[in-house]
Amino acid sequence: MADAPREQWSSRAGFVFAAVGSAVGLGNMWRFSYLTAEHGGAAFVVLYLCITLLIGLPVLLAELTVGRGSQRSPVAALRHYGGRAWTPLGVVFVAAGFLILAYYGVIAGWTLRYGLTAIFGGFVGVADSFDEIAQGADAFAFHLAFMVITVGVVAGGVKAGIERTASVLMPLLFLMVIGLAIHAAMLPGAEAGYAYYLDTDFSEIFSHDVLTNAAGQAFFSLSLGMGAMMTYASYLRRDENLPQGSLLIGGADVGIAFLAGLVVFPMIFALGLSEKVGGSTVGALFITLPEAFAVMGGVGRVVGFVFFAALVVGALTSAISLLEVVVSAAIDGLGWGRRRAALLAGGAITLLGVPAAWSLSVLEVMDQVANNVFLLGGGLALSLFVGWRMRDPISEAGVGAENMRWFPLWRMLLRFVVPAVLLYVLADAIPGTLRAIGALFSA
Ligand code: TRP
């Protein structure tokens, strides 16, 4: 297998759709809205935007540069530019793929189930049974169904599987979210939702928890810190314009997250369910919104279907990228065929999802560990790698770019600003994460 020609995207647009598909997912709709609700609305949004610009985009460009430049999957790519000492980082990336997809698939399974609920049953009473829906054999069954679809797409290959799926689903997702935002705007009482979302107490910005969560969210939402974007960029031709690609991906990702807020908050407030938002946890979206859809009756079933269909679509194109990290590493590193790699990796990840499917608290801890340790730590290592270890990242990133003026600034950010912020955030997040793990085992 090793000398089979490496797969490539059929066009630049195909890559952009796939990468936007990776970025836009549950993070934009589920995670972004519950974190915003938890951390003071607009204050959180502003901080998240700043971090995306200052930390997220530079790291994204770094991942694209290493991927496209090396034309290899993460483990081999890091070895290519950094020597053997960097191989373990690639292995950590692959491990993060396992960990994240295992619980991501469970949440995606909930969305699949809710989408079907809209068609077949309606949402009445669903909110009250969230704990049963989210945990147990049913949750696992939907996780399994979702993973089967994901494996099917990845097994189909870069062009025929990943690119084709994303090119169809991403435009559809945009249309669905825009339609939902328009619908939400026409609900009487929507203003209260906008007010909550868009103007709040800016002193929240200075409570330290907010910075950590905003940084974790920026990484998760842009699919950074575990080589997903690196893997996708490795299927690019050497002459694509990477800075432009980064801006497109970042813009689409932030845009959809922002739009999702314009859907979620007006709906919740228009239906008088706002008290339920305050004490939100991972379940917020899955408890409050179905209740809103139930109140809306027949219309609610249609709107609810579109909403959860958008979530399933977003989750699928993201899950594909998570699995592709593992699969590409197995193809390059172990010499496996794509089908075999997709099936075995997908199967192992599905099994790893069992604890997350059985317990919401396990799922929450997995999410915390993935973000606070793997993604932020991976981002830190990667910024140091490209900033200090790679010989000439600027010329590599510059191939195909038109304007080189910003590259020195990019490298300065990678060398100093990104590591400093990530170190601070990691130091802040790790003790809490360890405590959460401890609590899980002592419970
Ligand atoms: N970005 C996706 C989302 O927002 C999730 C995701 C896909 C991801 N691939 C990733 C997160 C790689 C971290 C790393 O839902």
Side-chain angles (χ1 to χ4, degrees):
M1 286 308 293
D3 27 31
R6 190 173 175 76
E7 295 177 89
Q8 281 202 330
W9 307 110
S10 65
S11 68
R12 177 188 159 73
F15 161 71
V16 172
F17 276 129
V20 170
S22 169
V24 172
L26 296 173
N28 301 62
M29 299 162 96
W30 156 74
R31 219 165 174 279
F32 176 75
S33 52
Y34 96 73
L35 285 174
T36 303
E38 229 169 36
H39 297 286
F44 179 80
V45 179
V46 170
L47 203 61
Y48 160 75
L49 285 178
C50 295
I51 292 185
T52 297
L53 265 180
L54 209 69
I55 313 288
L57 288 181
V59 174
L60 175 57
L61 182 57
E63 284 210 20
L64 298 186
T65 302
V66 173
R68 184 196 61 178
S70 66
Q71 301 278 305
R72 288 166 166 82
S73 58
V75 181
L78 291 171
R79 196 185 312 128
H80 175 72
Y81 283 121
R84 290 216 160 271
W86 288 86
T87 311
L89 180 60
V91 175
V92 171
F93 284 175
V94 175
F98 268 90
L99 175 69
I100 297 178
L101 187 50
Y103 75 85
Y104 199 86
V106 173
I107 303 166
W110 305 343
T111 65
L112 197 58
R113 166 146 185 187
Y114 276 68
L116 295 174
T117 300
I119 302 177
F120 295 109
F123 289 104
V124 177
V126 166
D128 299 323
S129 44
F130 175 72
D131 277 354
E132 286 127 59
I133 289 172
Q135 310 177 91
D138 280 18
F140 179 74
F142 282 95
H143 164 62
L144 176 65
F146 178 82
M147 288 301 299
V148 167
I149 305 172
T150 307
V151 166
V153 174
V154 171
V158 171
K159 271 196 212 82
I162 302 175
E163 177 176 340
R164 210 172 47 169
T165 307
S167 308
V168 174
L169 292 183
M170 278 303 109
L172 198 67
L173 175 78
F174 271 86
L175 291 179
M176 288 193 280
V177 177
I178 288 171
L180 287 166
I182 294 174
H183 169 79
M186 294 185 317
L187 295 171
E191 304 77 35
Y194 293 128
Y196 177 80
Y197 181 31
L198 300 175
D199 51 59
T200 33
D201 182 4
F202 277 91
S203 64
E204 276 281 335
I205 286 197
F206 302 106
S207 72
H208 78 155
D209 218 33
V210 181
L211 177 68
T212 304
N213 280 291
Q217 172 61 10
F219 266 68
F220 185 86
S221 187
L222 280 171
S223 304
L224 297 178
M226 54 151 285
M229 289 298 178
M230 193 187 288
T231 304
Y232 274 11
S234 74
Y235 304 126
L236 271 175
R237 293 197 335 207
R238 285 290 314 271
D239 57 358
E240 296 289 354
N241 185 332
L242 294 185
Q244 203 181 66
S246 311
L247 285 177
L248 271 173
I249 297 164
D253 185 52
V254 167
I256 290 280
F258 187 73
L259 268 175
L262 291 179
V263 174
V264 171
F265 293 108
M267 277 192 190
I268 291 174
F269 277 77
L271 291 144
L273 300 167
S274 53
E275 14 28 284
K276 307 216 168 190
V277 186
S280 68
T281 59
V282 286
L285 197 74
F286 296 94
I287 298 172
T288 341
L289 279 176
E291 201 156 326
F293 298 140
V295 175
M296 288 189 235
V299 178
R301 282 171 73 168
V302 177
V303 177
F305 173 73
V306 176
F307 184 84
F308 286 110
L311 275 171
V312 172
V313 162
L316 178 62
T317 51
S318 297
I320 290 168
S321 76
L322 287 161
L323 183 57
E324 180 62 19
V325 172
V326 181
V327 166
S328 76
I331 294 174
D332 286 2
L334 306 175
W336 290 3
R338 171 170 285 276
R339 287 231 182 119
R340 175 166 175 221
L343 210 62
L344 290 180
I349 290 169
T350 306
L351 290 180
L352 195 62
V354 168
W358 251 272
S359 152
L360 214 50
S361 18
V362 172
L363 187 148
E364 276 183 58
V365 171
M366 285 169 85
D367 182 51
Q368 235 180 326
V369 171
N371 278 279
N372 296 350
V373 182
F374 280 88
L375 298 186
L376 295 175
L380 173 64
L382 196 84
S383 62
L384 295 174
F385 180 77
V386 175
W388 297 96
R389 179 69 182 86
M390 220 174 135
R391 207 163 299 120
D392 190 4
I394 292 186
S395 349
E396 186 52 58
V399 176
E402 280 138 29
N403 181 341
M404 306 284 288
R405 202 153 21 113
W406 295 95
F407 282 104
L409 173 65
W410 170 62
R411 190 173 185 183
M412 293 296 275
L413 287 172
L414 284 180
R415 286 192 149 174
F416 302 105
V417 180
V418 175
V421 173
L422 289 180
L423 265 179
Y424 173 85
V425 168
L426 270 165
D428 182 56
I430 285 184
T433 308
L434 292 179
R435 261 195 312 270
I437 298 176
L440 198 62
F441 284 106
S442 65

